[in-house]
Amino acid sequence: MTFRSEVYALVRRIPRGHVATYGQVAVLVGRARSARAVGGAMRSCPDDVPWHRVVNSQGRISRRRQGSGMLTQRIRLEQEGVALRLGRVPLARFQWEPTRADLPRRRRPRRH
DNA sequence: GACTTGACTAGAC
DNA sequence: AGTCTAGCCAAGT
């Protein structure tokens, strides 16, 4: 399994009406320091991956270098009941709390 | 292998 | 509350 495919498998488990942060996804796949790479994986992902359910640590829709994907993300979130307040998703209310069954077996943390 | 590029983040002003 | 920075790391050249 590559890093990307594990990320995709995890993101597919985020239920409608909930969100996860890039950092959270990184932790859940056992690579706590790879939040940035999670963003990279979302940049181009299969159509069946609900990429719009991943936001940054502040509940905001992360800025793209280019393109209008930000608007699409907001619309998709609102369509499934995730309302933004002051430009951010209230994580206290909408952040996904996975159960044990949702989680893959975690990788060994990388040592430095 | 050695760069470069970001949908990241926590911490420091 | 904003703006920077340094550290991070998978992928693509």
Side-chain angles (χ1 to χ4, degrees), chain A residues 19-34:
Chain A
V19 301
T21 68
Y22 296 99
Q24 180 186 6
V25 171
V27 168
L28 293 177
V29 299
R31 307 303 299 262
R33 290 162 293 182
S34 303

Side-chain angles (χ1 to χ4, degrees), chain A residues 6-51:
Chain A
E6 297 221 20
V7 167
Y8 296 147
L10 198 288
V11 171
R12 279 190 271 254
R13 310 204 68 127
I14 304 174
R16 279 180 61 90
H18 293 266
V19 301
T21 68
Y22 296 99
Q24 180 186 6
V25 171
V27 168
L28 293 177
V29 299
R31 307 303 299 262
R33 290 162 293 182
S34 303
R36 199 166 191 172
V38 171
M42 292 299 99
R43 187 161 62 78
S44 61
C45 65
D47 290 339
D48 64 330
V49 173
W51 53 268

Side-chain angles (χ1 to χ4, degrees), chain A residues 45-110:
Chain A
C45 65
D47 290 339
D48 64 330
V49 173
W51 53 268
H52 59 286
R53 296 180 189 148
V54 185
V55 297
N56 69 25
S57 64
Q58 300 177 67
R60 314 185 92 116
I61 291 171
S62 285
R63 184 154 209 186
R64 273 63 165 167
R65 168 166 285 283
Q66 194 172 8
S68 56
M70 295 176 70
L71 179 60
T72 305
Q73 183 166 10
R74 197 190 80 205
I75 291 173
R76 282 187 167 204
L77 285 173
E78 290 176 342
Q79 281 178 343
E80 53 185 59
V82 177
L84 279 68
R85 308 302 265 207
L86 291 307
R88 19 186 277 130
V89 174
L91 295 179
R93 176 164 159 204
F94 295 109
Q95 185 168 22
W96 179 40
E97 291 173 24
T99 64
R100 186 69 62 73
D102 291 317
L103 306 180
R105 182 172 46 211
R106 293 209 271 171
R107 291 186 186 178
R108 162 168 32 96
R110 181 177 291 185

